Every structure is written in C-alpha cells, then in structure tokens.
C-alpha cells in the first residue's frame, strides 16, 4: 500500500486526511515517481473549500497537489526520456502529488539539477510557471517599471526576480518585514495600505508600465489608476476584472510545460533565481501546513516533504 492525502467533501482543513491506497501503476507514457517533496498552494485550499466548484469541481474522494519532485521507481511502456532511479521534478494534472507515490506522464517531468534542493524542486511548478507566464504576459523588458502585488509571497517572490531578469525595474508591494529581502534582490519595496498609489509614483520616479497582481482585492484598479494599459496588467486572482477591465489572467496554464520547468530549474542551479522556502511539513502534517498557508503573510513556499 501507499499513502495519499484525500478529502471526501468540501470543507476546512478538518476534511483532509492521509489514507492507504493501492500503489498507482504507470500506464503507457507514464512513470511512477516516489515523491520527495510537494508544495501546497492557495488554489488547492480554494478547491477543497468548494470556492472554485464552478471552474474546477472536485470529484470525491479527491486527492490534491500538482507540484512534485522525486525519484523514478517504475517506467510505463514507451518511455525513454527517463530511467529508473532518475531524480526528477514536474507536475501532475490529476490532483495527486500529496502522496508518497504518483503516476505522472513522462513529458511533465524534467531532470532535477544537482543544485536544486528537493524542497525547492517540489515547489517550482505552480509558483514558477505562474510567475513565468505573468511576466511574459505583461511583456516586461528593459526600460519598464513593473509593479508586483504580493511581492514576497510564493508566486510574487519569483515574479519579481523574473521581471528583474527580463531587465525591468521592479516595485514590490509587501509588508515591511519583507522589504530587506526584496531590496537584496534588486526590487524597490513599497508598503501596502492607504496612500499606496502615491508611494508607488514616488518610487517609480515617473510612469508605471506594467502591473502583475498576485493578491486580488483591488490591485487591478490600482494599476489602472496608475495609468497602466489594460493589456499590460495581469492578475492571477481577480477574474472579474478580466471581463470588466480587459486585463489579462495568464498563469500556470499558460506556461505549464517541462521545458519551462527546465528553464527555471537551470536558473536556480546557476544561482540566478531563488525559491524562498517558508516552512516544511511531513505528509502527516498536511492540516497544519494548510493552516499555516491560511494564516497569510508567508514569505515563500510551504512544502510537504516525504
């Protein structure tokens, strides 16, 4: 038997539990991965709570988890890109990575570089591809000033770095305890709250060219107030603003590929990109991990390690 997180109904963290399941068997084009690390993400909490039922319904009993990193233990027919014993990172679309074993299509995996720790490798998919897609969506480039809300969060902390790598000047909205980290990564920090538009204008020393919203709750409107064109605003949260204001909503789905993961992993391996890890939990502590996530103001990723 293997162990996996399951929930039988929508609800709070109390519906989550670890259960014994039959070990998955890789089909054609798939491999069986022994999971070493798998991040948790806000979208998983929203799915479990039923808040995204219309968009992404759960089918009970439901597993959860997309990000993963681990060791290949078995190979299905037709797979020649990896071998048993290879260390990999990647993703599953089956809400299944919060488990000790998962069957994954081989084309959703890439090899783990030696300089990428397990907890980082297992945290890269959702946050990394979302940040990658958002920076690409607003066309960040040299000479631009880009504002990022939630700049120290799991997605935001990668977004600001990728925007800097694209050559843009970056203003990161974050609470004061996170300002030193942002400054150390070449980002100009600005505190949230009343008067934020004025503080952004002062920090920019001119116009703002693009806005990436990882928080919701009015930051699209702030971007428009700052004079940013709708086509250069990307939100991963405020879907109502997409229809209302004509802004973009490109995230994980727009960059979900092993090639993008390999590119991001290479940047980490080269020391050019950091994935901050807030805290790590055992699989048996999955409820505590999601409680931690729900508390908010987390700098970096929360990860299940096996």
């Amino acid at each position: 038997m293997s162990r996996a997180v399951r929930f039988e109904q929508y609800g709070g963290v109390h519906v989550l539990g670890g259960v014994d399941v039959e070990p998955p068997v890789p089909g054609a084009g798939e491999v069986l991965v022994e999971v070493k690390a798998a991040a948790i993400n806000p979208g998983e909490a929203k799915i479990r709570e039923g808040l995204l039922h219309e968009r992404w319904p759960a089918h009970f009993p439901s597993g959860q988890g997309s990000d993963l990193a681990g060791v290949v233990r078995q190979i299905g027919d037709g797979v020649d890109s990896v071998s048993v014993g290879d260390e990999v990172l990647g993703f599953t679309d089956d809400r299944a990575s919060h488990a000790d074993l998962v069957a994954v299509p081989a084309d959703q995996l890439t090899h783990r570089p030696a300089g990428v720790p397990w907890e980082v490798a297992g945290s890269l998919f959702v946050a990394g591809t979302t940040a990658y897609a958002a920076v690409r969506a607003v066309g960040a480039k040299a000479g631009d000033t880009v504002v990022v809300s939630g700049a120290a969060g799991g997605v935001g902390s990668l977004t600001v770095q990728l925007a800097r790598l694209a050559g843009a000047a970056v203003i990161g909205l974050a609470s004061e305890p996170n300002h030193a980290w942002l400054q150390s990564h070449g980002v100009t920090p600005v505190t949230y709250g009343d008067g934020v538009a004025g503080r952004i204008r002062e920090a920019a020393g001119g116009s703002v060219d693009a806005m990436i919203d990882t928080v919701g709750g009015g930051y699209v409107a702030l971007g428009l107030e700052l004079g940013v064109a709708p086509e250069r605003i990307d939100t991963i949260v405020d879907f109502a603003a997409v229809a209302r204001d004509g802004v973009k909503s490109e995230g994980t789905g727009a960059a979900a590929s092993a090639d993008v993961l390999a590119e991001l992993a290479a940047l980490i391996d080269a020391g050019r990109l950091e994935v901050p890890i807030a805290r790590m939990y055992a699989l048996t502590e999955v409820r505590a991990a999601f409680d931690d996530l729900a508390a908010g103001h987390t700098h970096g990723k929360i990860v299940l390690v096996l």
Side-chain angles (χ1 to χ4, degrees), residues 14 28 31 47 61 63 80 87 90 94 114 126 157 169 197 206 221 242 252 259:
H14 66 279
V31 301
I47 288 172
D80 57 13
E87 297 179 351
D94 296 331
V126 170
S157 59
V242 177
T252 299
D259 288 343

Side-chain angles (χ1 to χ4, degrees), residues 217-237:
Y219 286 99
V220 168
L222 175 63
L224 295 170
E225 178 187 345
L226 291 168
V228 181
E231 64 269 19
R232 299 204 71 188
I233 298 175
D234 191 75
T235 179
I236 64 169
V237 182

Side-chain angles (χ1 to χ4, degrees), residues 76-88:
D77 291 342
V79 174
D80 57 13
S81 56
V82 295
S83 303
V84 171
D86 283 359
E87 297 179 351
V88 295

Side-chain angles (χ1 to χ4, degrees), residues 88-212:
V88 295
L89 62 98
F91 63 99
T92 172
D93 294 322
D94 296 331
R95 301 180 187 174
S97 71
H98 295 171
D100 53 13
L101 293 170
V102 58
V104 186
D107 62 4
Q108 293 175 196
L109 299 170
T110 189
H111 288 87
R112 180 181 77 99
V116 182
W118 282 118
E119 65 272 18
V120 170
S123 301
L124 191 54
F125 170 64
V126 170
T129 59
T130 300
Y132 185 101
V135 170
R136 184 175 60 188
V138 302
K141 63 185 183 302
D144 283 343
T145 297
V146 180
V147 177
V148 179
S149 68
V155 173
S157 59
L158 298 183
T159 301
V160 295
Q161 293 177 78
L162 292 176
R164 289 289 294 130
L165 287 172
V170 179
I171 295 171
L173 304 184
S175 58
E176 290 187 7
N178 294 311
H179 284 195
W181 183 89
L182 290 168
Q183 288 171 326
S184 72
H185 288 74
V187 178
T188 301
V190 167
T191 305
Y192 289 110
D194 292 343
V196 67
R199 291 192 293 277
I200 291 171
R201 289 190 181 100
E202 182 179 357
S207 62
V208 173
D209 302 288
M211 177 95 177
I212 297 173

Side-chain angles (χ1 to χ4, degrees), residues 2 55 89 198 210 221:
S2 64
R55 183 180 288 260
L89 62 98

Side-chain angles (χ1 to χ4, degrees), residues 19-32:
V19 300
D20 290 326
V21 297
E22 290 294 328
V25 177
E30 294 184 330
V31 301
L32 183 67

